Amino acid sequence: MGMPDAARRLLRLSYVGFLSLGLPDTVLGAAWPAIRAELGLPLDAAGAVLLIATAGVVLSSSASGWLRARGGTGNVLVVSTVLAATALLSTALASHWAQVLGAALLAGLGGGAIDASLNDHVARNYSARHLSWLHACWGVGAASAPLVVATVLSTGTSWRYAYGALAGVELALSSRSCAPRRSGASSPTSSRRKPIARTSPCAGRCWRACCCSFCTEASRPARDCGPPAC
């Protein structure tokens, strides 16, 4: 028996969501040399961006169940994609380092919500094969962002145009997510909503262990490796 049209449409939206999730995740590494040179930043300043983005991911993914229960997966997907687009556009327009850090927090909040919500939705309602394709869509987005940055920089154009182009792609993806909702399609959680399992004590211990590990690594002084060997 084939998959119903509504389920197939929602699965495609999940793929779009993970494609949008991959775009901001890898753009910083490709553009960082140009960003650092223009803003006059030290090499290790990228660590602050990653730390703040990670904090945003932890916050939004932890609250994703609460957000989905009140707004539905569809609304979480749209808002998270708009947050990612806003973060990219804010970075493209940033003239101060603090603006880049604020954009990193927005990107983390959007990315964590998409990641947790769509992983849970696809795992509950589809097969493992579809979950693998979901993560493959993230890989497409993650591989595409550095190519966009490299193409822009190779023409002698500012890295800001690459961020602006990716923000436009994110906005297009968010409008694609809104289209079925405007046409009357239901939210991914509006039908056959399954109860979310309570967190077990073992899961709580795992969270505490992860937090301790994260704090330990964050407090560890950076090593000066020196210039690469010839």
Side-chain angles (χ1 to χ4, degrees), residues 24 26 74 83 93 102 107 146 166 172 202:
T26 55
L83 279 177
L93 300 176
L166 292 174
C202 180

Side-chain angles (χ1 to χ4, degrees), residues 17 30 47 59 64 72-73 101 107 114 123 131 135 149 157 171 191 208 221 224:
L59 287 174
S64 62
T73 304
L101 297 179
I114 293 178
L131 190 62
H135 295 156
V149 175
T157 312
L171 288 176
S191 61
R208 289 192 292 272
D224 185 9

Side-chain angles (χ1 to χ4, degrees), residues 150-197:
T151 301
V152 169
L153 294 180
S154 65
T155 62
T157 312
S158 172
W159 58 271
R160 297 178 184 272
Y161 288 94
Y163 269 82
L166 292 174
V169 173
E170 290 280 1
L171 288 176
L173 293 176
S174 67
S175 65
R176 176 68 183 86
S177 301
C178 289
R181 297 164 56 78
R182 290 195 295 266
S183 62
S186 60
S187 171
T189 57
S190 61
S191 61
R192 296 186 306 163
R193 179 177 295 174
K194 299 181 181 180
I196 300 175

Side-chain angles (χ1 to χ4, degrees), residues 19-144:
L19 179 64
S20 69
L21 175 63
L23 290 174
D25 285 357
T26 55
V27 64
L28 178 66
W32 179 243
I35 297 174
R36 175 178 170 247
E38 181 174 330
L39 298 181
L41 300 169
L43 181 62
D44 59 355
V49 178
L50 299 177
L51 185 63
I52 291 176
T54 301
V57 169
V58 171
L59 287 174
S60 61
S61 60
S62 300
S64 62
W66 182 84
L67 294 172
R68 289 180 62 204
R70 282 150 184 80
T73 304
N75 286 327
V76 172
L77 173 59
V78 173
V79 172
S80 298
T81 308
V82 171
L83 279 177
T86 303
L88 290 168
L89 186 60
S90 298
T91 305
L93 300 176
S95 57
H96 300 287
W97 180 230
Q99 293 173 271
V100 178
L101 297 179
L105 180 60
L106 288 180
L109 290 173
I114 293 178
D115 195 354
S117 297
L118 294 185
N119 265 305
D120 179 76
H121 170 68
V122 175
R124 287 176 182 268
N125 297 286
Y126 301 93
S127 67
R129 176 169 63 92
H130 294 118
L131 190 62
S132 296
W133 278 109
L134 182 74
H135 295 156
C137 289
W138 178 90
V140 172
S144 300

